[in-house]
Amino acid sequence: MTYCVGMRLERGLVFMSDTRTNAGVDNISTFRKMSTFENPGERCITILTAGNLATTQSVISILEERTKAPAERKPSIMEAPTMFQVAQLVGQTLREVIAANSEEGQRADAAFNATLIVGGQIAGSPPRLFLIYPEGNFIEAGEDTPYFQIGETKYGRPILVRAYEPDMSFEAAVKLLLVSFDSTIKANLSVGLPLDLQLYEEGSCARGLSRRIDADDPYFQAISSGWGTALKSAFDSLPDVEL
């Protein structure tokens, strides 16, 4: 399992993903689930992946190959004129990979399923964020759905629902996501550090701050400890029930 979030802000986009993969409690490894395709000044596209690792890596490898091999460049997400068409190409690739690996063809509940978040900007158009389903179809983030989660979403979602604001700063958004991830990590062993973070500022058409957050990161430790203390303090401040 995994946990990834793509968030749309007035300032741009924020992406965060964990790196844990596992095939049982005694077989845990680390694998990057965030991929970025960019032509600085022209486009920047980030993809987050959750689901069967072989499926997601096949999709990313095919997309990367189409950006490099001249005979395979059409269709390529580096040539698609809009982010909508980028989402279509990614969805089509995901559907084809799942169908090719399933004896029964395309099924959302197949062992080879995966879900992706695709976000970014192409020069001349605004930043856009999409959630792509195993069937290859997708939805776009908007005012009612300003962020997408994939993987193990239930533990970190209440944090986002209560605290997200579209006009929040990148700094506040990163803090919010770290609280969401910390809550998920503490509740589910299939999600774990290190975390990958990437910011995208609207209009830049280039990758922004990109960093890996390890377990010994001082800021993450402060957030994790401080959030636990704040929750305990808030709980203690609530009135007791009269029995």
Side-chain angles (χ1 to χ4, degrees):
M1 189 55 74
T2 189
Y3 182 39
C4 302
V5 180
M7 179 179 290
R8 193 182 80 162
L9 302 175
E10 292 179 358
R11 291 188 57 186
L13 303 171
V14 184
F15 305 93
M16 187 175 286
S17 62
D18 86 317
T19 55
R20 175 163 293 183
T21 64
N22 64 287
V25 295
D26 60 346
N27 186 13
I28 295 174
S29 58
T30 297
F31 208 98
R32 186 174 178 86
K33 303 167 188 176
M34 180 185 299
S35 301
T36 301
F37 302 77
E38 68 174 327
N39 181 7
E42 192 272 330
R43 72 182 60 206
C44 182
I45 301 164
T46 298
I47 301 177
L48 307 179
T49 62
N52 180 272
L53 185 60
T55 298
T56 59
Q57 289 308 302
S58 292
V59 170
I60 297 301
S61 295
I62 291 171
L63 295 174
E64 288 179 341
E65 186 68 17
R66 289 174 178 171
T67 69
K68 299 174 183 177
E72 298 292 336
R73 286 180 181 169
K74 294 184 184 298
S76 167
I77 61 174
M78 297 302 289
E79 294 186 354
T82 67
M83 282 300 301
F84 182 85
Q85 292 187 39
V86 168
Q88 285 184 314
L89 288 173
V90 175
Q92 177 183 347
T93 305
L94 175 60
R95 183 175 63 249
E96 291 172 351
V97 169
I98 293 176
N101 287 281
S102 174
E103 295 179 356
E104 299 179 20
Q106 169 67 32
R107 296 194 315 170
D109 60 345
F112 301 100
N113 76 333
T115 310
L116 312 179
I117 294 174
V118 178
Q121 183 174 21
I122 296 174
S125 60
R128 301 176 76 175
L129 186 67
F130 300 90
L131 173 63
I132 301 182
Y133 296 103
E135 295 82 3
N137 56 343
F138 54 86
I139 59 174
E140 183 174 2
E143 292 185 2
D144 294 330
T145 53
Y147 51 82
F148 291 130
Q149 303 168 274
I150 54 177
E152 189 55 76
T153 63
K154 56 183 176 291
Y155 301 107
R157 181 171 178 78
I159 311 298
L160 304 182
V161 170
R162 289 179 179 270
Y164 168 84
E165 296 290 343
D167 61 348
M168 66 197 316
S169 66
F170 279 142
E171 292 82 359
V174 171
K175 179 168 62 175
L176 176 61
L177 287 178
L178 286 177
V179 172
S180 178
F181 272 76
D182 179 65
S183 299
T184 304
I185 290 169
K186 282 182 167 55
N188 194 305
L189 289 175
S190 69
V191 178
L193 294 152
L195 308 177
D196 287 318
L197 164 69
Q198 186 171 300
L199 306 180
Y200 174 77
E201 187 165 5
E202 181 173 358
S204 65
C205 289
R207 187 183 333 206
L209 173 70
S210 181
R211 59 175 293 193
R212 174 157 284 192
I213 300 169
D214 295 302
D216 59 355
D217 183 271
Y219 183 66
F220 178 79
Q221 290 181 341
I223 290 296
S224 179
S225 175
W227 179 244
T229 301
L231 279 178
K232 182 62 166 59
S233 177
F235 175 78
D236 290 341
S237 70
L238 295 173
D240 292 332
V241 63
E242 294 185 8
L243 299 177

